[in-house]
Amino acid sequence: MPSAEASAVLHGTRLVVQGPLLRTEVAALWHGLPSPGSRVTQIDLAAVPRLDSAGLALVSLLLERFPHASLLGAPHGLDDLRAAYRLDERLAFAA
């Protein structure tokens, strides 16, 4: 069974990300992400079943791009990758 396609859609100030954030899916999302000037207050990952290191990089960029946004949801793989790379809750390198 093929994996569902990933998407990222801005609904008001909430960026809703859906589908697996895997290397094969993430490349197609980069150009469609909201620009740094957009107002994003929430990054919703509730509909993301799992992510790999490419997905982690994408979410990390979103949190850097929108520093006041809260992160909702924790896809399978997020906690393990955060621990492996020693990242804090905002996916920045922990001191």
Side-chain angles (χ1 to χ4, degrees):
M1 180 167 107
S3 66
E5 191 172 307
S7 65
V9 179
L10 192 57
H11 293 282
T13 62
R14 184 172 62 122
L15 180 62
V16 178
V17 184
Q18 297 180 310
L21 292 181
L22 306 175
R23 181 185 53 81
T24 55
E25 302 291 329
V26 167
L29 291 179
W30 286 106
H31 297 294
L33 295 176
S35 66
S38 300
R39 187 163 190 273
V40 175
T41 61
Q42 296 178 324
I43 300 166
D44 187 347
L45 303 179
V48 174
R50 64 192 181 284
L51 77 144
D52 64 10
S53 58
L56 181 71
L58 180 114
V59 175
S60 177
L61 170 92
L62 290 172
L63 287 169
E64 182 180 320
R65 186 176 282 185
F66 307 110
H68 301 292
S70 59
L71 189 61
L72 307 174
H76 178 73
L78 178 62
D79 290 337
D80 290 339
L81 288 169
R82 254 187 56 216
Y85 293 116
R86 296 183 297 158
L87 303 175
D88 63 20
E89 291 182 3
R90 301 240 2 125
L91 305 183
F93 286 104

